[in-house]
């Protein structure tokens, strides 16, 4: 019961309260970010996509923590969720600095990711960890693509994305070390397709 309430609490906090980071937002102090209107709009769209990704990360890790019976693995997932919460806070903050809003569909993304996390958890701990490895790798590649697409002068967004990319790589490595199994290729392809739908939609809505 405690764990279910914890998961519900985490869902409500992710969706409806202002997340608080435990680490300071990465910035490049020497370079002040000044953007033309077009660049600012495009940067905001990309940061909205990244914010949705972090909403999903909260849902996935919370669901996977709920699904496992291994207390050590639960602690592992909860620790990762805590770090992802920094990402959630940084992207939310940057979005509002850019004068834009988060995705209107966040409750939907959260629910979908939560279901996926429960499903991954049902497949057993090694596959659940394998799902983390594949997710984090895909997110890392996605963040690299954003480093190529973000306006070159948007130092503030770029610093955040660069730090997130580093953290996601570490999450993948930690899950591997915890005993992750490799997911079958069709599962990876399906995950890429689902991510594509999410990133394309969140760019606009
Ligand atoms: Fe993240
Ligand atoms: Fe991550």
């Amino acid at each position: 019961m405690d764990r279910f309430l914890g998961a519900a609490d985490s869902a409500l906090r992710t969706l409806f309260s202002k997340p608080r980071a435990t680490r300071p937002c990465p910035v490049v102090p020497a370079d002040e970010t000044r953007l033309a209107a077009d660049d600012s709009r495009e940067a905001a769209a990309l940061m909205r996509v990244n914010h949705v990704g972090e909403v999903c990360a909260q849902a996935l890790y919370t669901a996977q923590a709920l699904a496992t019976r291994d207390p050590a693995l639960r602690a592992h997932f909860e620790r990762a969720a805590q770090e992802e919460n920094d990402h959630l806070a940084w992207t939310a903050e940057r979005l509002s600095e850019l004068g834009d809003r988060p995705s209107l569909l966040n409750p939907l993304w959260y629910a979908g990711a939560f279901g996926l996390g429960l499903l991954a958890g049902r497949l057993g701990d090694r596959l659940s960890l394998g799902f983390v490895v594949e997710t984090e790798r895909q997110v890392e590649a996605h963040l690299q693509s954003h480093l190529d697409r973000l306006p070159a002068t948007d130092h503030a967004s770029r610093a955040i994305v660069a730090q997130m990319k580093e953290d996601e790589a570490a999450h993948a490595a930690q899950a591997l070390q915890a005993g992750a199994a490799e997911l079958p290729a069709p599962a990876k392809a399906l995950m890429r397709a689902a991510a594509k739908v999410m990133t394309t939609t969140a760019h606009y809505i």
Side-chain angles (χ1 to χ4, degrees):
M1 191 61 185
D2 270 4
R3 280 160 51 208
F4 282 105
L5 289 177
D9 175 60
S10 155
L12 293 175
R13 266 187 293 122
T14 300
L15 291 171
F16 301 113
S17 75
K18 189 172 154 50
R20 237 170 305 163
T22 54
R23 290 174 290 169
C25 186
V27 280
V28 190
D31 300 309
E32 200 193 338
T33 292
R34 261 201 208 127
L35 294 172
D38 277 7
D39 280 350
S40 175
R41 251 195 314 279
E42 176 63 6
L46 296 177
M47 293 312 275
R48 174 164 49 248
V49 171
N50 293 331
H51 180 259
V52 168
E54 296 303 330
V55 166
C56 291
Q58 287 302 317
L60 288 172
Y61 277 118
T62 304
Q64 286 177 273
L66 193 67
T68 181
R69 296 202 175 123
D70 177 355
L73 186 57
R74 189 173 312 130
H76 173 114
F77 286 144
E78 285 169 353
R79 226 178 7 257
Q82 185 61 50
E83 269 192 45
E84 301 288 3
N85 191 57
D86 287 348
H87 299 174
L88 187 72
W90 299 339
T91 48
E93 173 88 32
R94 185 65 193 136
L95 249 184
S96 85
E97 282 169 7
L98 289 164
D100 216 318
R101 52 154 181 80
S103 169
L104 300 173
L105 302 177
N106 273 341
L108 207 70
W109 303 128
Y110 190 96
F114 196 89
L116 216 57
L118 283 183
L119 184 74
R122 286 294 290 273
L123 301 174
D125 288 345
R126 293 195 61 220
L127 281 172
S128 190
L129 281 163
F131 179 78
V132 170
V133 172
E134 181 57 22
T135 305
E136 296 286 10
R137 280 183 181 156
Q138 289 188 15
V139 174
E140 191 193 346
H142 158 86
L143 291 173
Q144 179 56 53
S145 80
H146 274 200
L147 286 176
D148 300 332
R149 287 172 67 191
L150 275 167
T153 48
D154 188 353
H155 306 295
S157 298
R158 301 180 69 83
I160 292 170
V161 170
Q163 181 61 54
M164 278 167 46
K165 179 171 168 283
E166 208 169 286
D167 291 347
E168 314 305 11
H171 294 154
Q174 287 154 8
L176 252 186
Q177 207 176 22
E182 181 90 13
L183 292 192
K188 294 182 184 178
L190 214 63
M191 289 165 67
R192 258 193 299 276
K196 182 84 194 154
V197 172
M198 183 271 269
T199 53
T200 308
T201 314
H203 198 275
Y204 304 100
I205 308 174

